[in-house]
Structure formats: C-alpha cells, structure tokens
Amino acid sequence: MKYLYCILLLFSLSIQAQFQWSGIVKDASSNKPLPFASIYISTGMNTISDVDGKFNITTLAPISEFTISYIGYNKKTTLIEKGRSFYQISLYQNTNNLQEVIIPRENPAVAIIRKVIAKKTQNNPLKKLDSFEFKCYNNLVITANPDSISSKIDTISILKNNIKIDSSNYKFKKTVQKQHLFQTEKVSLYQYDGNQLKETILGTKMAGLQQPIYEILGFKLQSFSIYDSNYELFETKYNSPIANDAVNEYKYQLLDSIAIEGRNVYMIHFKNKKKNKATGLEGVLYIDKNTFGVAKAVMRIKGVLDISGTHEFNFITQKQVWFPSNKIFKIIKGNNDDDLKLLGGTIQFQGDAEKDFQPRKKEASDFVYLLSKSTNFELQLNQPIKIKNGAIALEINKEAINRTDDFWNKYRKDSLDIRSQKTYAVLDSIAIKNQIERKIRIGRRLINGFFPAGPIDLDLRKFFSFNNYEGFRIGIGGTTNDRFSKTIKVEGYSAYGTKDGSFKYSFGTGVQLGEQTNSWLGVSYTDDVREIASTIFSIDKRGFKIYDPRPFNISTFYNFKSWKAFVETKIIPKTESVWEIATSKLEPKFNYTFLLNGKTYSNYAMTTAMVSLKWSPFSDYMQTPTGRVEVEKRFPKFTFQFTKSVPKIASNDFDFGKIDVKTEYEKKHLNGQKTSILIQGGYAFGELPLTHLYSISPNNITKETIMQRITFAGKNSFETMFYNEFFSSEYIHFQLKHGFQKITLFKKVKPSFVFVTRMAWGNLKHPERHLGLDFKTLNKGYFESGIELNQIYKGLGLVGFYRYGPNGLLKFEDNIAVKISYILDLGF
C-alpha cells in the first residue's frame, strides 16, 4: 500500500465521456448551495449534487433537459442549451407546504435513522445470510479530465535572444487525452461462510508492470460493509452515520423520497455536528421505507483531499435484503495549497481561494484524480461454502498475473476504450525503457535497509555505527537475493571497532522449506558484542535506521561466539515464529565476575533452546505467490519468547530459563489522535549472570548538568534512567503514549505533540552473586513522564522527561532529561 503513489511518480494521473455538463444548485433567496439535491435526467439516469451543491452530468448520448428537486423547494426543469456546459440552478421554497405545519416531536430523519440502527442485524448481509459467494471486477485509474485543462501555451519569455516556452499544461493535456496515467484491473472471488469474509484474486494486471505490486492489491480504499460501526475511507476510520451512537455525533436532514428498483426509499443527508469537516463523514443514505435497510450510500470526507465512496445495492426479494452490487471510490483535490505528500510522492493541490490572499496558479497536476470502480456478479446465496486457508483475508491465485485476453474479455463488464488500451501499451513501453520494475525492486530493498548489488543485497545497517565501547564501527554485510537463488540464501557481515581494535563477523546459510509460509531452515556462526542485560525478541524485525541513538553512550558489552541452527516460519495462522538452538561462549568486556556455589566466572559457556513467537489475532493477512504479508494491522499484538538451557546437548555452565512477553496496543482515534500502550515483562529463573538479566532499556548518561546530558531519545527507553543503574531477574514495564493532532506554529512548522508516561517494577534474586558493578533494584518501582515535540524541523524534535516516585533523585535537576528526537519521514 505504501507503493501506490510511487507508481504515479514513476509514470508522472473520469472517464472521458462524449457529453458532459456541470453546475451548482442554490437557494434562490439566500444564494447558499443546496447539498445533495436530486437530479433527474431524461434518459432515466439519476444523480445528486455534492456537499457544496455542485453536480456533474455525464452521458453517452445527448439529452434535452434535466430536472432538479429538493425537499421543501419547487422542482425545476432546465433545458440543455447548445454550446453551454455550466448551469447555475436556483430553487425557490415551496410556500404551499408552509401553510399548514405540523411540528413533529423528533426530527423525522433522526427517527428513520434510529430504525435503521435498530434493524441493522436483519439488514446486514453479513449477519442475515448464512453464506454467500460472488465475483467482482475492479478497475482503478489515476487520470485527469482533459477538458478541465487549458491547452494554451502558458508563458513565452525572451532571454538573451533565447525563447523560453512553458508548455507543461499543454503537454499534460495531450497526454491525458490519449491515456490514463496509471491503470490496474483485478477479478476477485469473495466468499463468506457465516464467520469470515475472504477475497481471492483470480486475475490481476497493472499497466507497466509484469509482476504487480501486491501491496496495492491489499490497499483498503473503502469498507466492504456499510453497516460497520467504523466506516473506512482510504485506510482511515470514521464513526459510521448508522453506528449505535451516531445520532449523538451526526445531524440528519430528510431530503427527498425516490424509487430504487421500484422500491420507495428516503434520501437522508447526514453531516458531522463538529465544524471541522475532517473529523467526520458527510453524505447521503438511501433508506428503504419498508425494511429500513440501506439501498445506496454516498460517504464523503473533505479536507486536504476530497475523498468519496459510493455503495450501490440490489434488492434480493426472496431474502428481503439489499446486497452490494457496485462500489465507486474517488480522490480529488481538496482545500490545500501546500505540496501534499501522499503515499510516497508529492502532488500539488489548489487551495481555497477564500482562505488564500494569493492563490497560486493551477498546475496540470491539480486536475489529477484516482477513480476505482467495482462491479459484483455471479452471486450465490446460502450455498455450502468451504473456505481454504481461512486465516488469510486476501489470497492471490498463483496464476493471477498470467491471465490471457480471453479471461479479461470474459470478466470485464465493458470492453476497454481506446484510452485504456493505450494506457497499457504506453506504460508497458515506458516501464521497459526506464527499467521501472528494477527501480521498484531497489526501492523495496532500500526501505528495508538493503541496497541490491547483483545477486547480493548489501545491508546498509552494517556500514557505519557508533557506541562507547567499540567507538566507530565500520563494516560491510549483506545477504543473497532471488538472483542468486530463490530457495537458498547466504548472509554475513564483518565489522571493525576503532576503539576496541577488534574485528567482529558473522556468516550463515539457509534453505527454504516452504514459499507460501516463508519457512526457512538455517545455520550460522557469529563472533560479536552485545549490550548487557538487553532484551531482544528474536522474532522482532529490525527496522532500518540511519542512526540508532541509544548505543552512543553504552560502554558495557559482552562478547559472544555462537553457533546456532534455526527455523523461521509463518505456518501457524496469524503468527510468525523462530525456533532456535544455540551454543555460545561468552566473555564480559567490563569489570564483572559471577559468583556461584563458591566458584567465580569471568567467562562462561551456554547452550540454549529458544522459541520466539508473535501472534496478531486481529490482523488481516494477504497470501501472495511469494509469501504472506500483513495488510491490515490490528491490535493488540502479542509476543512470547521462551529460552531454556540444555546442558546435556553441549557445554553449559549454568541451568536456567527465561520467559519474556510483550503486548502492544494501538488505537487511532477518529479525531486524528493516537494512543499506544506497551506492556512488557520478563522472568528469569535458575543460574544467570548479569549479562543475561534485565536492565529495561535505560538511556541517560551520568553527567553533572542537564545540558551535558542532552543526547538522542530512544523509542521506548527510559530517558531519565542511567545506564547500569538497575538490574532485575524479573520485571514488568508499562508505557502509555498519546499523540495529539499536530500543532501549527508556522505554516511549515507543525510538530506532533505526544504525552508519554512509563513505569516499571522489578526484583533481583541473589544480588550477591554479581561482583564488579554497583547497581540498584526496582522493588519500589520506577516512574517517569514527559512530552515529545517531534518533527519540529526537518524531522528533528525535542523531548523532555521527569523522574519521580520512590527512585526520584534528591536534586530536582537530576530528575530532568532533555533529549533530541529524530524521525526520518520517508513519505510512505
């Protein structure tokens, strides 16, 4: 999903109809726009005006007139005039209806909505039907209406006898007259067995790409069900206008009564009560007068982007339910004059003229929009259905990218027009000429911290780093890619520390056990150093960082020389796991001795078996021909790791075990704020040296003044806790973060404000066994709270934390930590 807009950049985007008219509907007395007025066309097609009273009429044949109606107003029929494409329609209130007024006890629209909410279960196909199955054809284009773009040469200037011509709009118009800027199609099979809904993509093709970008196929533009409590548009959730508490958040207006499929329906306009348009949806619900089911819905959010989703339904008489038949999703420009970063690219949108003193000149890209249309067919209801791989929400058939023209001609609802055919031909040619797929492949690797160099992906994280023990760490590393082998990989690295003067290295190899489950069997050897008492969940993926600030001031490490064999797999539904057995020799690189049963250890051997498992029970996954991808992250997520010594297999100086658990929760609020919670704990039992206990990620250095202690902030570290201040054999750590909406200080300075509080409790059994370091325990707990002002300028921010409670320090200033934050915004 992060790559969708990259396509737009690489190809640098309404179907063009034969006949098109536009206009606006206003109140004749107040001159205010009338939103969602009904527009009837002589051909039998109907449409409505938008939230601003604007409308568009598009037909394949000429029409002679159209009629506009609005509840409480007189209908008006307008004749089409030759050569005229824009109409301003003024409606007059119907005074006859005002002669006798009966004031209802409740807004009639609200009364209707209450009945819709009460009858959701019996009208929701996912609740009423035992099972269903249907196919769906989807076409998505990024394009522009060429009629909206000026074709004249913008500027001609003469500089020192050279003529400079600005013809960007002219060239752009000529391009979009011939083709779209991007286009993709897919045919899917939807199956519902009474418990879950699964989509299987039977065929897919993307202009310019032999192998589609699978993340685009998993991108959720709009909710499948109109009855969801949280309706989703463009991967943002909003409280639905028919949620159980919707009448408290939305105001409703009865617009009209029309017929759909011969059944009488109410047209009800809904709008969020808050003045900020971006906080809630606005649109129209078409409600069946008999069943109070939704017969059609138009959902819209207007802000920086103008995003709309339309749902159309067919009435199934024998089941007395409205079933989805078509969906339309569209993104056009909104009220913004800044360059907008959208899914990795930059696009300009013209601002609201009423807000701008000097609105900039419209560029061709202002007219670009995204349009997705879906049509359902071959519907089967209440038939026995067996869903394969039920834990997968979206699966892509292995042959989906190899479908012939016969397949597409069979399932397309309409044959491709010349403009669409040209899109495939031109973009395929451009992609080959400009090596687009190669650039996308490189982009994928870079996002994950690798740079492809032939059959090897170089690991960018291995080139350079710094810590207080090794000094500058300079190295090289990488792993083989598909060009080397799809079933065998070899990886390794080597590094040199300028301060400790020693080399570190690792090498390993693996063989693929299963492609779809991403299962690998591997073996490796490593000679390296690691921070003491650090908790590492083996299943956690390391994100790419240009820098990692925490190690800057860490000086207590231990060396480990380790052989390990492991299996990585996603074979268990909604999980990722690592199963490992390792034998290691370890040596602390600081003044430390472990005392056990009268014997001292300054180096030791361990052999362990370990399982590390991450479970995401509420997330949705996509199964592609190349593996499994999490397409919709939902919380909570759970991580579990168990490590146990196995002395009978190889050399082992100690008998011990460790249990580590982590729970992550994240909630994105409908007002744009975000709350995240982290709960992490560990329990070590048996005989363990300090190097393998818990220090709970401290990130403060021992200096006299606040200014001297300014360093970079970590992600989930205790900013006021000093390195090696506390150690535990058992602990629990709680963290709460709440991010507010961005604060506008200046036009280009909009930092994000985050409140953070952290606390931890712990205990250390047998502290007398650990000699050489002075430390404390967390029996009384540890508490700190603070604020983060992130991304103040160029990704840089400022954070401040205060330490309090039983482990608060005597001097007030010693409890304060001020740090610099840095968030690298890749725009994805």
Side-chain angles (χ1 to χ4, degrees):
M1 54 208 75
K2 63 178 71 172
Y3 307 102
L4 177 57
Y5 202 78
C6 289
I7 297 296
L8 172 59
L9 296 180
L10 291 170
F11 299 134
S12 297
L13 279 173
S14 181
I15 305 297
Q16 185 180 11
Q18 288 180 297
F19 303 94
Q20 188 174 45
W21 301 268
S22 61
I24 188 170
V25 185
K26 293 187 175 182
D27 182 295
S29 301
S30 66
N31 205 37
K32 291 183 178 180
L34 295 177
F36 305 109
S38 299
I39 302 167
Y40 304 92
I41 306 169
S42 55
T43 60
M45 294 175 57
N46 299 327
T47 186
I48 58 174
S49 63
D50 66 14
V51 68
D52 302 313
K54 298 176 183 178
F55 65 89
N56 286 285
I57 300 173
T58 302
T59 65
L60 297 176
I63 60 173
S64 59
E65 63 183 27
F66 60 91
T67 300
I68 296 182
S69 70
Y70 199 80
I71 193 166
Y73 290 77
N74 293 318
K75 290 183 179 181
K76 184 172 183 179
T77 298
T78 301
L79 298 177
I80 297 294
E81 300 177 19
K82 186 176 180 180
R84 183 179 177 186
S85 60
F86 183 85
Y87 295 82
Q88 179 171 314
I89 310 299
S90 298
L91 300 184
Y92 291 88
Q93 289 191 5
N94 188 339
T95 56
N96 293 331
N97 292 340
L98 301 177
Q99 293 176 357
E100 182 179 351
V101 178
I102 299 176
I103 301 176
R105 298 181 65 182
E106 183 180 37
N107 178 347
V110 174
I112 294 169
I113 292 297
R114 290 189 189 278
K115 291 183 179 179
V116 173
I117 295 172
K119 295 178 177 290
K120 279 196 300 184
T121 300
Q122 66 190 62
N123 285 311
N124 184 354
L126 293 172
K127 301 291 185 181
K128 186 168 186 176
L129 300 175
D130 296 329
S131 65
F132 59 75
E133 179 179 291
F134 64 88
K135 291 187 176 73
C136 176
Y137 169 76
N138 172 263
N139 181 284
L140 183 150
V141 296
I142 302 177
T143 187
N145 185 349
D147 294 336
S148 301
I149 305 169
S150 173
S151 60
K152 66 180 181 180
I153 303 297
D154 295 326
T155 58
I156 301 178
S157 58
I158 301 177
L159 299 172
K160 295 183 179 179
N161 299 322
N162 292 321
I163 298 177
K164 180 182 179 181
I165 300 177
D166 181 359
S167 59
S168 56
N169 280 15
Y170 174 81
K171 293 178 180 178
F172 186 76
K173 180 182 177 74
K174 291 297 183 183
T175 298
V176 297
Q177 280 178 333
K178 298 176 182 178
Q179 66 179 78
H180 302 300
L181 299 176
F182 176 67
Q183 177 172 276
T184 181
E185 298 175 276
K186 69 174 180 177
V187 175
S188 299
L189 171 67
Y190 283 85
Q191 295 175 299
Y192 177 71
D193 63 0
N195 294 310
Q196 71 175 92
L197 179 69
K198 180 180 179 180
E199 177 187 1
T200 302
I201 296 177
L202 306 177
T204 180
K205 62 189 305 187
M206 290 184 184
L209 299 173
Q210 292 182 348
Q211 178 173 308
I213 299 174
Y214 293 121
E215 288 84 351
I216 294 180
L217 301 177
F219 193 72
K220 194 169 185 180
L221 298 176
Q222 61 193 121
S223 290
F224 173 84
S225 174
I226 199 68
Y227 294 96
D228 291 342
S229 295
N230 289 332
Y231 180 82
E232 191 164 354
L233 267 181
F234 203 45
E235 292 206 323
T236 301
K237 293 183 178 180
Y238 305 90
N239 201 34
S240 167
I242 55 173
N244 292 338
D245 61 348
V247 293
N248 298 323
E249 185 171 333
Y250 289 92
K251 52 186 178 181
Y252 303 88
Q253 179 185 2
L254 183 60
L255 297 179
D256 208 342
S257 178
I258 64 172
I260 297 180
E261 293 192 11
R263 297 181 65 85
N264 293 324
V265 300
Y266 298 109
M267 283 181 61
I268 296 179
H269 169 233
F270 62 89
K271 185 177 182 179
N272 194 276
K273 292 179 180 179
K274 297 180 181 179
K275 291 184 179 180
N276 185 358
K277 292 182 180 181
T279 59
L281 296 165
E282 183 172 3
V284 176
L285 296 173
Y286 296 73
I287 307 301
D288 190 304
K289 288 185 177 181
N290 183 31
T291 66
F292 290 94
V294 179
K296 184 179 178 180
V298 179
M299 311 293 234
R300 184 183 182 192
I301 188 75
K302 187 174 182 181
V304 173
L305 294 174
D306 187 347
I307 306 174
S308 62
T310 301
H311 297 253
E312 297 177 348
F313 301 81
N314 290 332
F315 188 72
I316 311 298
T317 305
Q318 63 271 32
K319 301 299 179 183
Q320 290 292 291
V321 67
W322 289 91
F323 195 87
S325 59
N326 299 282
K327 286 197 301 185
I328 300 173
F329 175 86
K330 190 173 185 179
I331 301 179
I332 59 176
K333 73 176 184 67
N335 296 327
N336 183 55
D337 65 347
D338 295 330
D339 290 350
L340 175 68
K341 285 191 175 181
L342 174 63
L343 297 177
T346 300
I347 184 169
Q348 292 183 327
F349 286 115
Q350 176 67 17
D352 192 335
E354 295 180 1
K355 297 180 180 179
D356 298 330
F357 294 101
Q358 294 180 336
R360 65 168 174 80
K361 176 184 173 183
K362 280 192 175 184
E363 303 291 339
S365 60
D366 284 311
F367 301 99
V368 171
Y369 64 88
L370 180 149
L371 179 66
S372 171
K373 291 186 175 182
S374 301
T375 303
N376 302 337
F377 56 98
E378 295 185 11
L379 174 63
Q380 298 182 39
L381 301 177
N382 293 344
Q383 300 295 319
I385 292 177
K386 186 176 181 181
I387 298 179
K388 297 181 180 179
N389 298 328
I392 304 298
L394 174 60
E395 185 168 359
I396 301 175
N397 188 289
K398 284 188 175 182
E399 297 300 318
I401 65 175
N402 300 317
R403 299 301 185 184
T404 64
D405 289 341
D406 290 339
F407 173 90
W408 292 107
N409 292 334
K410 175 182 177 181
Y411 288 116
R412 284 186 183 124
K413 296 297 98 181
D414 297 298
S415 58
L416 292 181
D417 58 19
I418 295 177
R419 195 175 172 202
S420 295
Q421 294 175 27
K422 187 76 171 178
T423 301
Y424 280 119
V426 171
L427 295 190
D428 287 350
S429 175
I430 291 175
I432 294 173
K433 180 179 179 181
N434 294 287
Q435 298 182 314
I436 296 298
E437 290 196 282
R438 176 178 175 272
K439 292 176 181 178
I440 291 174
R441 186 170 62 252
I442 292 174
R444 284 178 180 271
R445 301 285 202 277
L446 287 174
I447 289 170
N448 292 302
F450 292 92
F451 183 83
I456 298 173
D457 290 343
L458 297 176
D459 192 338
L460 301 179
R461 290 164 291 202
K462 301 299 183 184
F463 284 126
F464 179 84
S465 62
F466 179 86
N467 63 68
N468 208 30
Y469 171 72
E470 295 177 279
F472 291 101
R473 177 177 168 129
I474 304 167
I476 189 171
T479 181
T480 57
N481 55 39
D482 290 351
R483 294 184 62 180
F484 174 80
S485 173
K486 291 185 177 182
T487 58
I488 297 174
K489 65 180 178 182
V490 180
E491 59 186 3
Y493 67 84
S494 179
Y496 177 78
T498 58
K499 187 175 181 180
D500 69 335
S502 63
F503 284 94
K504 297 88 181 175
Y505 61 93
S506 176
F507 59 86
T509 185
V511 59
Q512 190 177 67
L513 302 178
E515 184 179 41
Q516 290 201 338
T517 59
N518 296 93
S519 298
W520 290 82
L521 170 66
V523 61
S524 69
Y525 177 78
T526 303
D527 182 350
D528 206 338
V529 294
R530 180 176 295 165
E531 177 190 357
I532 68 168
S534 56
T535 301
I536 299 175
F537 289 90
S538 294
I539 194 60
D540 284 347
K541 294 181 175 63
R542 296 176 304 149
F544 174 46
K545 297 179 181 179
I546 288 181
Y547 79 105
D548 187 2
R550 276 202 69 251
F552 278 22
N553 299 289
I554 300 175
S555 56
T556 47
F557 287 77
Y558 67 91
N559 171 253
F560 65 100
K561 298 179 174 69
S562 175
W563 281 99
K564 71 176 181 180
F566 61 91
V567 173
E568 299 176 355
T569 184
K570 296 181 181 179
I571 193 170
I572 305 173
K574 299 198 174 187
T575 69
E576 303 173 57
S577 60
V578 176
W579 306 74
E580 175 186 296
I581 187 164
T583 181
S584 308
K585 293 182 178 180
L586 307 106
E587 180 184 359
K589 292 298 183 178
F590 59 101
N591 181 28
Y592 173 72
T593 302
F594 184 49
L595 179 63
L596 179 64
N597 299 327
K599 184 178 179 181
T600 59
Y601 294 86
S602 56
N603 53 68
Y604 30 86
M606 292 183 178
T607 300
T608 59
M610 182 271 293
V611 57
S612 185
L613 183 145
K614 176 175 283 188
W615 181 38
S616 304
F618 305 104
S619 294
D620 283 342
Y621 287 84
M622 172 174 64
Q623 183 70 56
T624 76
T626 58
R628 191 173 302 171
V629 180
E630 186 178 12
V631 291
E632 184 166 357
K633 294 182 179 180
R634 297 196 186 103
F635 295 87
K637 293 172 174 284
F638 306 95
T639 307
F640 169 83
Q641 186 164 288
F642 177 64
T643 308
K644 184 67 178 69
S645 61
V646 282
K648 295 182 180 180
I649 293 181
S651 60
N652 203 329
D653 289 323
F654 314 120
D655 185 12
F656 66 91
K658 292 180 71 175
I659 300 173
D660 298 291
V661 294
K662 178 170 63 173
T663 299
E664 300 165 278
Y665 177 78
E666 184 178 294
K667 180 176 177 59
K668 293 182 179 179
H669 301 278
L670 300 178
N671 60 5
Q673 301 182 33
K674 184 172 76 170
T675 301
S676 60
I677 296 174
L678 171 66
I679 302 174
Q680 184 171 314
Y683 176 70
F685 55 92
E687 306 154 349
L688 261 180
L690 197 70
T691 52
H692 287 65
L693 295 178
Y694 303 108
S695 65
I696 323 180
S697 193
N699 194 32
N700 203 11
I701 57 177
T702 307
K703 298 288 184 179
E704 286 295 323
T705 67
I706 295 174
M707 298 300 293
Q708 289 175 324
R709 293 196 298 270
I710 293 179
T711 56
F712 281 96
K715 183 179 180 181
N716 297 318
S717 54
F718 282 83
E719 303 300 339
T720 60
M721 184 185 292
F722 297 102
Y723 292 109
N724 301 329
E725 184 178 5
F726 298 93
F727 289 97
S728 305
S729 56
E730 53 195 54
Y731 80 99
I732 185 168
H733 164 207
F734 173 83
Q735 174 182 277
L736 170 67
K737 285 189 176 184
H738 184 82
F740 296 87
Q741 291 178 317
K742 287 192 173 184
I743 304 169
T744 302
L745 300 179
F746 304 99
K747 185 175 181 180
K748 297 294 185 180
V749 180
K750 300 176 182 179
S752 60
F753 176 78
V754 183
F755 169 76
V756 185
T757 187
R758 299 186 180 100
M759 55 196 72
W761 294 266
N763 181 49
L764 179 61
K765 296 179 180 178
H766 305 293
E768 70 281 357
R769 291 177 175 176
H770 310 286
L771 309 177
L773 279 181
D774 293 327
F775 57 86
K776 297 182 286 187
T777 62
L778 288 170
N779 302 68
K780 296 180 179 180
Y782 189 95
F783 306 87
E784 72 173 23
S785 296
I787 58 172
E788 298 178 354
L789 278 176
N790 295 318
Q791 295 180 296
I792 297 175
Y793 181 75
K794 301 292 186 181
L796 291 170
L798 196 64
V799 306
F801 282 85
Y802 183 74
R803 169 177 177 165
Y804 57 94
N807 278 297
L809 301 176
L810 294 177
K811 291 184 179 180
F812 174 79
E813 59 269 24
D814 289 344
N815 294 299
I816 297 175
V818 177
K819 303 291 178 70
I820 298 170
S821 67
Y822 182 73
I823 297 176
L824 176 64
D825 184 7
L826 294 174
F828 296 99

